[in-house]
Amino acid sequence: MCKTEYAVCGNPHLLEGSLSAFLPSLNLAPRLSIPNPWIRSYSFDGKEEWEVNPLYCNTVREIYPYSTSNRLLNIVDMAIFDFLTGNMDRHHYEMFTKFGDDGFLLHLDNARGFGRHSHDEISILAPLSQCCIIKRTTFLRLQLLAEPEYRLSDVMRESLLQDPLAPVLTEPHLLALDRRLQLILDAVGKCIDTFGEATVVANDTAQPPSPAPDRAKLDI
């Protein structure tokens, strides 16, 4: 596996890699690719606004659909997922057009995840730390996975043992999940200390009202 045209070599013959799952064609399942409001700067010429403005979320909140739908809460969920996996490369997210503005986000292109187990890139949590909001269901699930009997690393380890490619993650990556989970809970705790739990923790268990016909479409 060691060739001059590759920048990586096996050790001695094993090589880390990633797998890809493909969605149905756009003809069968139309979807849109939407820029992440917290897209990272990919050049040395300057920084994105969120990287220099701690109040950036106030701007995002004024933009539809982040101003009225559950989209911003879904962005925070996505940031939490990316932080747990160490994925800094979330420049876009996708949505099926069939479900309109309140549809779920597709977390495609996770190839940069689980890279450096020893580094926790706190900036990935910017949507959470700047907006200080989180779904109640997400918060409760994170708290559960921090309990000794339901520790995230143990749950993941047990789940991945059933995979034909086991072990999918190395032990340092599994342990990094526990460390990063605690950092997420610390960030939520700071928000609650500042703004109060009623403001930070959004009740997403209530049945949302049906969207108006003219709003059930994606504009961006």
Side-chain angles (χ1 to χ4, degrees), residues 15 62-63 82 85 124 133 138 153-154 165 189 204-205 215:
L15 192 66
E62 296 176 357
I63 303 172
D82 286 338
T85 63
I124 299 175
I133 56 170
T138 299
S153 60
D154 294 337
L165 294 177
D204 60 319
T205 58
R215 302 297 288 275

Side-chain angles (χ1 to χ4, degrees), residues 41-213:
S41 55
Y42 288 89
S43 71
F44 296 106
D45 297 334
K47 293 183 178 294
E48 297 292 334
E49 184 180 349
W50 69 267
E51 295 177 283
V52 296
N53 179 10
L55 301 179
Y56 171 72
C57 187
N58 293 340
T59 301
V60 177
R61 290 178 189 271
E62 296 176 357
I63 303 172
Y64 183 80
Y66 306 106
S67 57
T68 58
S69 70
N70 64 352
R71 186 80 64 87
L72 190 55
L73 286 166
N74 289 338
I75 291 288
V76 172
D77 271 359
M78 183 171 64
I80 290 172
F81 172 82
D82 286 338
F83 180 70
L84 287 171
T85 63
N87 178 23
M88 298 173 57
D89 197 32
R90 185 68 63 189
H91 41 78
H92 286 75
Y93 62 89
E94 305 206 12
M95 298 181 68
F96 289 120
T97 58
K98 179 181 178 68
F99 302 109
D101 286 328
D102 289 322
F104 55 88
L105 309 190
L106 295 171
H107 299 185
L108 297 183
D109 189 6
N110 305 299
R112 295 291 294 275
F114 293 111
R116 296 171 57 192
H117 59 77
S118 60
H119 177 68
D120 304 327
E121 184 54 52
I122 298 296
S123 64
I124 299 175
L125 282 180
L128 170 61
S129 59
Q130 293 182 355
C131 298
C132 272
I133 56 170
I134 187 173
K135 294 178 183 177
R136 181 174 298 279
T137 52
T138 299
F139 187 36
L140 292 175
R141 181 59 58 87
L142 294 176
Q143 288 177 313
L144 178 65
L145 292 171
E147 295 293 330
E149 61 268 35
Y150 298 105
R151 187 175 287 113
L152 179 55
S153 60
D154 294 337
V155 173
M156 284 289 291
R157 187 183 297 105
E158 181 178 353
S159 175
L160 294 175
L161 283 176
Q162 311 303 318
D163 196 286
L165 294 177
V168 178
L169 294 177
T170 63
E171 192 64 19
H173 279 301
L174 291 172
L175 297 179
L177 290 173
D178 295 330
R179 185 180 68 244
R180 292 167 183 167
L181 174 56
Q182 190 56 56
L183 292 173
I184 295 169
L185 292 176
D186 290 346
V188 176
K190 291 178 181 178
C191 287
I192 291 176
D193 290 342
T194 303
F195 301 104
E197 183 172 339
T199 299
V200 174
V201 182
N203 184 14
D204 60 319
T205 58
Q207 186 69 26
S210 300

